[in-house]
Amino acid sequence: MFDLGALFAGLEMVFSWEALLYIFLGMAVGILVGAIPGLTASTGMALLVPITFGMSPVNALVFLGSVYAGANYGGSITAIFLNTPGTPAATITAFDGYPMRARGEANRALGLSLGSSVFGGAISYLAMFVIMYPLAAFAIRFGSPELFLLAVLGLMIIASLKGEKEGGFWKGIIVGVFGILLGTVGIATTGAERGAFGYPYLLDGIPLIPALIGFLAFSELMVMVSTKDHGEKINAKQTTKMVWKGVWETLKYPFTLVYTSIIGLIVGALPAAGATIANFISYNEAKKYSRNPEMFGKGAPEGLIASGGADNASTGGAMTTMLALGIPGSESTALMMGAMTLHGLTPGPKLFIEQLDLTYAIIFGLLIAQVFMLFLAVYSGNMFAKIVNLPITILVPCVAIFCVVGSYAVRNTLFDVFFMMACGLIGYLMKKNDYPVIGVVLGLVLGPMADREFILTSIRYKEDYSIFFTRPISIGILVLIALTVIYPLLQKMWNKRKLANTWVPVEELEQSAKTGENI
Amino acid sequence: MKDKWLDLSSRLSIPLFILAAVFLYYLGTPDIVDPKQTFYLVLPIALLIVGIALYLFYLELNIWRNSQEKEQKITANKTSVETWKLFLETYKDMGKLLVSVLGYVIILNFLSFIPATIIFLFVMFFLLQIRNKIMLIGLPIAITLMIFIVFNTLLNVPLP
């Protein structure tokens, strides 16, 4: 099951002073990025991918992985202190963190959130260590029809998950198609030129990193500036002793911790699901099994543990899908994929055959990152609070320079910078009109994969498309695709029926009509 | 009635942009389309223009709706020019950022990274209402040097 040689080689890679330094720096930057409202894990990673050019692949990936994990925790700092989640996933943390802070227990809340994040992360990376090799061994049997269907599955999930808002399903489809369109620009597998106008800068395809910087980071800057949301300031002081107490308190709820971490791991592994959905599900589950469900939303420790554990555990799930199958589970893992490609690595089962030691090194690196997170967050909390208080007037120009430098650094051409700006403007318009940017991002990453594998299937099987319905794994993936389409519809029908069957006493209805309160 | 138009224009504009992008994509694919045929050039441009027009129409109506909701005195009686003034006010800071970054990228072509970045930061801080002279002059120099040292010297990342 484990290749001991590769395992020790991986340990050797990650226990170099350079790798440890990058893990530490990545974690520090990640916590900061996550704590600044408006900057998410993916925004931070988009800005930081270009600075990994000079690093070795291991250092680059553990650095970005640490940023990813750190940002997921960082979001909870402002959620607790200001009731303003630093990242969308930290919304749930604010439910119980802020009431706790209002009771004067901010440090306890911070400790609970930190402890659950660290344990959730550790559980998910240990699970990743156990699951990943068998998963990759299974995935190695995938041929081009299966890989094509896997890419389609990733794209279908975008549409089904974004169907909550009005017109969300179609918005998801539209932006997904747009992403695929952009992703297939350049010279195709057949050698034909597509959508490039013969322009040399586009023949290699759309520059992925500048596009991601534009869609994720530059567009966010525009939103920050146009909303003029200069935010509140963190005034509270962090007490190390109290935070430690909160961390240890986490262990008093082992069931909630393990249970919600497993939910985070599983939901995180689903393409396009991510930490936010994992948090919502685990919070609801924790409330269901709690002895004090009435305390949820009023400062329940279990509520904080559920969100913190699931939040960080989802990173392990998303990384597993990305590394073993080559399918990004979130915007952040799409960026990790981009970074891996830049360093000459191809995520997917082949990575396990060719560079198993590197895969182990990434997992160990992420486990070490959890330890660094614990100490960094406890002992540098006050420093982070000061930096988070940096005014937007200073932050925005600095991040804009990062966007420009990052886009330029990939191919040393200003064309990429202009392209990044164009993507930023499109991303901004999309955000303003509630179009999910993740659709374009996943379309950009999965589109070329779907395109390549479809062409290869056509060539290999002489345009006999019945191959998709005759191979057992293909059929399995087709069933999953069908489920992703049917499940939201069934859920909608089920909810409607449940609502219709809800019996409300006439007295209650009359009372509600008088007071105007919802039942 | 205006609400109906608002929803329709917002729903149509973005899909029209995407459709224009699809046609542009085909236009850039020599195996499928002969670019000499003007029809293929006219169609995406026409779609883009209609999309932009609809989007601007949506923005104007949206501003009108918001002003009505807030019960301000800017209503349908106000002229279109005044509504657009309000629109420009709303998007002023975003426009400043976009124009400044565009200007920054253009001057990067002529000046090297350090002077261009110092000028950009100075302009941006000024536009974002920083008036403290020490911060206006000192911060751009300090930040530029820090970025230069971290990217160029420590991380070997090429700078424009």
Side-chain angles (χ1 to χ4, degrees):
Chain A
M1 193 171 161
F2 299 113
D3 181 340
L4 280 178
L7 204 129
F8 284 113
L11 278 172
E12 201 181 324
M13 274 181 189
V14 86
F15 276 103
S16 68
W17 70 267
E18 259 192 340
L20 292 174
L21 178 72
Y22 282 123
I23 294 171
F24 180 82
L25 287 176
M27 188 48 72
V29 175
I31 295 175
L32 262 180
V33 164
I36 296 171
L39 295 185
T40 57
S42 52
T43 315
M45 285 172 75
L47 294 170
L48 293 167
V49 166
I51 75 163
T52 63
F53 290 155
M55 301 177 192
S56 68
V58 174
N59 292 347
L61 294 172
V62 292
F63 173 75
L64 289 174
S66 306
V67 174
Y68 184 20
N72 270 12
Y73 163 69
S76 62
I77 297 176
T78 41
I80 291 167
F81 280 111
L82 304 175
N83 203 18
T84 311
T87 55
T91 311
I92 301 287
T93 311
F95 286 0
D96 288 288
Y98 193 67
M100 232 182 216
R101 192 238 157 177
R103 290 202 306 251
E105 294 176 336
N107 289 307
R108 183 185 169 212
L110 216 56
L112 282 164
S113 178
L114 175 64
S116 53
S117 283
V118 169
F119 289 116
I123 288 170
S124 87
Y125 293 123
L126 283 172
M128 187 177 163
F129 179 68
V130 177
I131 300 165
M132 217 153 61
Y133 193 74
L135 187 65
F138 173 68
I140 203 78
R141 288 189 280 176
F142 287 15
S144 48
E146 286 82 12
L147 288 172
F148 166 72
L149 291 174
L150 216 53
V152 173
L153 175 68
L155 292 166
M156 284 313 296
I157 288 175
I158 306 168
S160 64
L161 284 173
K162 297 292 167 186
E164 295 144 10
K165 284 184 183 172
E166 196 200 344
F169 175 81
W170 291 109
K171 284 179 175 176
I173 295 281
I174 287 170
V175 293
V177 167
F178 180 57
I180 296 170
L181 194 77
L182 281 181
T184 52
V185 167
I187 295 187
T189 317
T190 53
E193 181 200 321
R194 290 187 304 197
F197 295 93
Y199 202 56
Y201 290 119
L202 289 175
L203 287 177
D204 269 351
I206 289 284
L208 184 65
I209 298 296
L212 294 181
I213 293 176
F215 281 120
L216 300 173
F218 198 66
S219 63
E220 201 55 54
L221 277 190
M222 290 191 201
V223 173
M224 274 167 93
V225 166
S226 63
T227 51
K228 293 178 182 171
D229 183 13
H230 293 218
E232 278 180 73
K233 300 254 181 280
I234 296 177
N235 290 318
K237 269 225 155 192
Q238 189 176 312
T239 324
T240 311
K241 202 178 157 188
M242 289 305 291
V243 179
W244 272 122
K245 222 175 165 183
V247 171
W248 292 121
E249 197 185 336
T250 319
L251 297 175
K252 286 184 187 165
Y253 303 93
F255 175 72
T256 314
L257 191 60
V258 174
Y259 182 57
T260 54
S261 299
I262 291 171
I263 292 176
L265 178 75
I266 295 168
V267 177
L270 297 173
T276 313
I277 294 168
N279 276 8
F280 271 101
I281 296 174
S282 58
Y283 187 82
N284 278 336
E285 291 300 311
K287 192 177 175 181
K288 210 187 280 176
Y289 293 108
S290 170
R291 284 179 192 160
N292 308 304
E294 72 285 350
M295 281 303 289
F296 275 67
K298 295 171 190 162
E302 285 154 293
L304 271 169
I305 292 169
S307 64
D311 196 348
N312 220 10
S314 69
T315 59
M319 291 282 284
T320 308
T321 319
M322 189 271 286
L323 286 172
L325 303 175
I327 299 286
S330 61
E331 289 162 342
S332 306
T333 40
L335 277 156
M336 286 284 275
M337 263 183 89
M340 288 182 86
T341 317
L342 277 178
H343 285 275
L345 303 165
T346 314
K350 275 184 191 164
L351 187 74
F352 287 77
I353 299 171
E354 289 157 10
Q355 281 173 305
L356 186 60
D357 48 353
L358 180 93
T359 324
Y360 282 139
I362 296 169
I363 301 173
F364 294 138
L366 292 171
L367 269 168
I368 295 167
Q370 305 306 310
V371 182
F372 282 176
M373 176 156 86
L374 187 64
F375 288 97
L376 254 171
V378 171
Y379 292 106
S380 316
N382 288 322
M383 194 185 75
F384 283 131
K386 269 183 195 156
I387 303 176
V388 170
N389 283 341
L390 205 70
I392 208 169
T393 44
I394 294 175
L395 190 74
V396 167
C398 295
V399 178
I401 294 175
F402 267 72
C403 290
V404 171
V405 170
S407 319
Y408 177 83
V410 183
R411 298 193 295 185
N412 299 347
T413 156
L414 284 174
F415 169 81
D416 288 357
V417 182
F418 288 114
F419 187 75
M420 176 276 293
M421 288 178 70
C423 290
L425 191 62
I426 296 170
Y428 171 77
L429 286 175
M430 284 169 60
K431 283 176 183 172
K432 276 271 170 191
N433 292 285
D434 287 329
Y435 280 79
V437 176
I438 187 174
V440 184
V441 171
L442 292 188
L444 259 172
V445 177
L446 292 174
M449 178 183 164
D451 174 54
R452 185 183 58 241
E453 300 304 336
F454 186 75
I455 292 172
L456 287 176
T457 308
S458 297
I459 296 168
R460 278 180 195 154
Y461 299 98
K462 298 186 176 89
E463 297 187 8
D464 174 16
Y465 299 115
S466 64
I467 195 75
F468 291 118
F469 307 98
T470 49
R471 291 161 67 107
I473 301 173
S474 289
I475 295 169
I477 304 172
L478 274 171
V479 170
L480 284 176
I481 292 172
L483 279 176
T484 55
V485 178
I486 296 165
Y487 181 70
L489 296 173
L490 285 177
Q491 204 180 21
K492 218 175 177 179
M493 272 170 59
W494 174 253
N495 285 344
K496 262 187 188 170
R497 189 176 288 181
K498 212 170 144 186
L499 207 70
N501 290 340
T502 310
W503 179 77
V504 182
V506 180
E507 297 80 26
E508 231 173 88
L509 271 174
E510 282 171 354
Q511 183 69 20
S512 145
K514 274 179 197 167
T515 55
E517 276 177 21
N518 290 328
I519 297 168
Chain B
M1 186 65 186
K2 280 212 170 190
D3 273 4
K4 198 178 155 191
W5 282 109
L6 185 74
D7 289 339
L8 190 70
S9 51
S10 79
R11 277 181 192 192
L12 277 177
S13 55
I14 302 276
L16 274 177
F17 289 143
I18 310 283
L19 208 59
V22 173
F23 280 108
L24 271 174
Y25 179 88
Y26 278 107
L27 194 67
T29 309
D31 290 349
I32 302 173
V33 173
D34 176 13
K36 283 172 193 160
Q37 284 182 283
T38 45
F39 167 75
Y40 293 109
L41 188 66
V42 170
L43 197 61
I45 292 172
L47 281 169
L48 266 177
I49 291 169
V50 175
I52 291 169
L54 273 174
Y55 192 72
L56 293 177
F57 181 57
Y58 156 70
L59 287 177
E60 185 172 348
L61 282 175
N62 203 15
I63 290 166
W64 176 85
R65 186 162 76 170
N66 287 344
S67 62
Q68 283 245 318
E69 275 172 11
K70 286 175 189 167
E71 291 181 354
Q72 288 172 355
K73 287 184 179 174
I74 309 149
T75 59
N77 299 330
K78 286 270 177 186
T79 61
S80 185
V81 176
E82 281 164 320
T83 319
W84 277 106
K85 271 185 189 167
L86 193 71
F87 162 74
L88 288 175
E89 190 63 37
T90 316
Y91 288 87
K92 201 172 71 183
D93 285 344
M94 197 272 280
K96 277 180 195 171
L97 173 75
L98 206 61
V99 172
S100 306
V101 176
L102 197 66
Y104 172 52
V105 180
I106 291 167
I107 61 165
L108 268 172
N109 268 321
F110 304 104
L111 306 171
S112 61
F113 176 77
I114 293 179
T117 308
I118 292 174
I119 294 169
F120 167 71
L121 282 175
F122 176 81
V123 172
M124 275 304 288
F125 288 156
F126 188 79
L127 289 175
L128 292 170
Q129 308 299 326
I130 291 180
R131 291 292 177 265
N132 184 326
K133 278 179 190 162
I134 299 169
M135 279 184 82
L136 259 180
I137 298 164
L139 261 183
I141 297 171
I143 292 171
T144 308
L145 289 177
M146 206 170 76
I147 292 175
F148 184 81
I149 292 166
V150 171
F151 276 78
N152 205 41
T153 316
L154 295 176
L155 296 163
N156 291 325
V157 175
L159 292 172

